[in-house]
Amino acid sequence: MDHFRLSGVILLVAGSLAGCQSTTAPQKMSSENNHLAQDTNKTLQQYEKAKVEYENWLDKMKEVDTLRLYHPEGVNDLLDTWADTQDVYDDFVSKPLKANEKYSLFSSGTYLEVYQARIDLLSLQYNKLLKLKEVSDDLLSSAMLEMDTLQKINAVDVFPAHFNKLKRQFHGLFGYVAENELEEAKTHQTHFLTEAKKLEVKMAIQRDLKPLETKLALLRKESFNKLAPISYAKVLASIEQMEGVINEDPRNTEAIALETNEVTFSLERLKQIGLEVKRYKETDQDKFELLVLGHEKLLHQIAQAIEPQDLRDATMTAQAEKIVQSIEQLNPEKAPLQISQVEE
């Protein structure tokens, strides 16, 4: 009901009362009419204020579910109070003058007074939740950031049992704050963060290390650990080093990526060396010379590409050293490269 309609109601009430005045007591009736008009005007003003207040709360209640993390029972109580408030409001919203009538036979207050009492309770409950949020956001900020990280890396999809256990611990932290047991909240937060980091480590291992371990297992199944035991041991060492990096900081993606590249390279090298050994083992003894000549040919091609020279009258190790020396002369700024480094 807008301002003009409310003014019309006031004039109508005042006019009706004026028509019923007794001619024997005009002054008294006029005073009563003025008093009634003032009460009506006051009621309608309070009604308009109640409408504005209701609209404000309607906006606030749209976001109230975001406070459930801090105190779910408190949010439920708030919603119950809001439902009661709406019931009272609905009773008089379409009948402005009813706002000042007695609410019920069992209540001495008017609709407006009962409505205001419930708004006051609503405000009290809502402000208490906001205070809990303020304290929790400060005290439990580390836990909140950690839980956000676990959600972003989809830990619940890979390790649901572990994640859900941590989630229960996480929600329990806010219960301590709600009970004002702040020291307990701090202690349990420390434990939560320790356990959460373990899950982060498990996730990083599952994401980055497990695929590499699977590749190594396949090579072992094909006996590459026996074909090239030295190279196999180097892969194991690089995997162990990568696991150490992950355990130290599962969020250090740059360091983990470097280790991933190292293990990947070692795996491929193991595969190539193993295949070469296998080729030797499967070669008849009378064909060993052909293998040696093949390697000699490769070294000769490299030597010829650098400068016209024929080194085939020297051992293959000597040929390799001479080739390295020739390369160093082409690149004098680089430090000397020892043949032992090439063989590592």
Side-chain angles (χ1 to χ4, degrees):
M1 182 176 292
D2 57 30
H3 178 72
F4 293 105
R5 291 180 62 189
L6 293 178
S7 300
V9 172
I10 297 172
L11 292 173
L12 180 62
V13 172
S16 297
L17 292 173
C20 297
Q21 288 185 87
S22 169
T23 55
T24 58
Q27 185 175 359
K28 179 179 179 182
M29 290 301 295
S30 177
S31 176
E32 290 176 353
N33 289 344
N34 288 336
H35 181 70
L36 181 57
Q38 290 174 0
D39 287 345
T40 302
N41 186 49
K42 181 179 179 181
T43 298
L44 294 175
Q45 288 177 350
Q46 291 174 332
Y47 166 81
E48 284 299 322
K49 180 182 177 183
K51 283 185 64 177
V52 173
E53 194 169 38
Y54 181 84
E55 293 298 325
N56 289 336
W57 275 105
L58 202 58
D59 289 337
K60 289 180 182 180
M61 295 305 292
K62 291 177 182 178
E63 306 294 330
V64 74
D65 210 52
T66 60
L67 299 173
R68 191 171 291 278
L69 170 66
Y70 304 96
H71 198 329
E73 295 82 4
V75 171
N76 290 338
D77 292 342
L78 183 69
L79 291 174
D80 288 342
T81 301
W82 175 237
D84 291 342
T85 305
Q86 288 180 304
D87 288 343
V88 180
Y89 180 80
D90 290 342
D91 285 342
F92 71 83
V93 65
S94 60
K95 301 176 182 179
L97 294 181
K98 186 178 179 180
N100 210 28
E101 293 179 5
K102 189 176 180 181
Y103 178 67
S104 71
L105 294 174
F106 309 100
S107 173
S108 60
T110 64
Y111 279 91
L112 271 176
E113 289 171 341
V114 172
Y115 170 78
Q116 190 57 52
R118 294 187 179 178
I119 285 291
D120 290 343
L121 177 58
L122 193 70
S123 181
L124 183 67
Q125 293 172 330
Y126 183 76
N127 288 334
K128 183 178 179 181
L129 285 170
L130 290 183
K131 181 62 178 178
L132 279 177
K133 180 182 185 304
E134 180 183 349
V135 175
S136 298
D137 284 350
D138 178 52
L139 187 66
L140 304 178
S141 60
S142 297
M144 295 173 76
L145 287 172
E146 181 64 39
M147 180 54 70
D148 184 59
T149 296
L150 293 177
Q151 290 172 336
K152 285 180 178 177
I153 63 177
N154 297 318
V156 65
D157 296 332
V158 184
F159 299 104
H162 195 165
F163 177 85
N164 288 326
K165 179 182 178 181
L166 283 171
K167 187 177 180 180
R168 289 191 294 271
Q169 292 178 9
F170 175 70
H171 285 287
L173 298 176
F174 295 90
Y176 289 114
V177 177
E179 296 296 326
N180 201 33
E181 297 177 2
L182 303 187
E183 290 303 318
E184 284 291 317
K186 291 179 183 178
T187 300
H188 283 81
Q189 177 176 230
T190 300
H191 177 69
F192 166 80
L193 292 173
T194 300
E195 293 301 310
K197 184 182 178 183
K198 292 179 182 178
L199 180 54
E200 274 198 71
V201 169
K202 285 171 62 176
M203 282 294 296
I205 288 176
Q206 184 71 21
R207 180 187 65 238
D208 301 310
L209 189 58
K210 284 295 182 183
L212 300 174
E213 290 180 329
T214 299
K215 289 181 180 179
L216 181 62
L218 291 174
L219 291 176
R220 181 182 176 86
K221 190 176 181 180
E222 296 177 21
S223 299
F224 277 74
N225 58 317
K226 296 178 181 177
L227 290 169
I230 296 175
S231 299
Y232 183 85
K234 288 183 177 180
V235 176
L236 286 178
S238 62
I239 284 178
E240 184 177 345
Q241 179 174 319
M242 180 175 175
E243 188 171 2
V245 170
I246 292 175
N247 278 302
E248 183 177 351
D249 185 2
R251 300 184 188 182
N252 191 344
T253 55
E254 185 176 345
I256 293 173
L258 289 174
E259 295 299 326
T260 299
N261 291 337
E262 180 65 29
V263 176
T264 301
F265 177 85
S266 298
L267 279 167
E268 190 59 32
R269 185 184 181 195
L270 166 63
K271 181 180 177 181
Q272 299 308 322
I273 291 175
L275 289 173
E276 197 69 15
V277 172
K278 191 175 182 181
R279 187 163 71 93
Y280 271 97
K281 284 192 171 187
E282 292 174 351
T283 301
D284 294 334
Q285 289 187 5
D286 58 353
K287 294 182 179 179
F288 279 168
E289 183 183 4
L290 294 176
L291 293 175
V292 174
L293 288 172
H295 291 307
E296 182 192 58
K297 182 179 179 180
L298 289 174
L299 288 173
H300 182 61
Q301 288 175 336
I302 296 171
Q304 289 290 307
I306 297 171
E307 60 178 295
Q309 56 182 332
D310 193 341
L311 307 175
R312 287 177 293 178
D313 59 343
T315 65
M316 288 190 180
T317 300
Q319 291 181 48
E321 289 176 342
K322 178 61 178 175
I323 289 171
V324 169
Q325 291 172 5
S326 298
I327 294 173
E328 288 175 352
Q329 290 174 4
L330 295 174
N331 299 277
E333 294 181 0
K334 293 189 176 181
L337 181 64
Q338 301 297 324
I339 192 65
S340 60
Q341 290 178 277
V342 177
E343 294 176 344
E344 283 183 359

